[in-house]
């Protein structure tokens, strides 16, 4: 009898446990896209680093909450190393996209790194996210 009662309680609580983890839901609700970034360029040539926060479900990047992207690169000279909402292609977009020009300053396999801090939100939650992204650039 007790085992049956415990089983019923566990089965009833399972959906609540899944629904009660906004951090896990938030982490699965978007992806960081670098498609469109220049991945091959001649030394001294110009390229573009592209970063987009792409919602996969019914979520959005909160337009008033802090959004900061810190960039660093080895062998590439970036036009900007710090980005915020105002730097997005469309600052009011629910899926902000950023394009940062660069000049390839050294030949070889180079890399641009980005640290993204932002808030992803649904109708039920709003959770801060921090993601690191790297884009490889082959400079000839």
């Amino acid at each position: 009898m007790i085992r049956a009662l415990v089983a019923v309680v566990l089965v009833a609580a399972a959906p609540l446990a899944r629904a009660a983890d906004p951090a896990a839901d938030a982490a699965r609700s978007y992806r960081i896209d670098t498609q469109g970034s220049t991945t091959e360029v001649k030394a001294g040539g110009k390229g573009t680093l592209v970063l987009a926060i792409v919602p996969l479900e019914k979520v959005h990047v909160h337009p008033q909450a802090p959004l900061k992207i810190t960039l660093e690169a080895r062998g590439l000279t970036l036009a900007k190393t710090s980005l915020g909402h105002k730097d997005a292609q469309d600052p009011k977009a629910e899926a902000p996209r950023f394009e940062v020009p660069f000049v390839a300053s050294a030949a070889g396999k180079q890399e641009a790194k980005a640290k993204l801090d932002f808030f992803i939100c649904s109708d039920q939650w709003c959770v801060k996210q921090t993601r690191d992204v790297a884009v490889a650039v082959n400079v000839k």
Side-chain angles (χ1 to χ4, degrees), residues 24-109:
D25 291 343
R28 290 189 301 267
S29 68
Y30 69 93
R31 65 184 168 80
I32 305 299
D33 189 3
T34 61
Q35 188 172 9
S37 292
T38 303
T39 57
E40 195 166 290
V41 66
K42 290 184 179 183
K46 295 180 181 183
T48 303
L49 174 63
V50 176
L51 298 166
I53 305 168
V54 182
L56 301 176
E57 300 174 13
K58 296 179 182 179
V59 298
H60 61 278
V61 174
H62 195 291
Q64 285 86 35
L67 179 148
K68 183 175 183 181
I69 301 173
T70 305
L71 302 168
E72 64 178 50
R74 185 187 74 229
L76 306 172
T77 304
L78 300 166
K80 291 186 114 180
T81 57
S82 183
L83 306 171
H85 283 289
K86 67 182 178 346
D87 299 302
Q89 296 287 297
D90 177 0
K92 296 181 182 183
E94 290 186 355
R97 177 183 169 93
F98 302 86
E99 295 185 9
V100 180
F102 67 80
V103 175
S105 53
K109 294 183 188 243

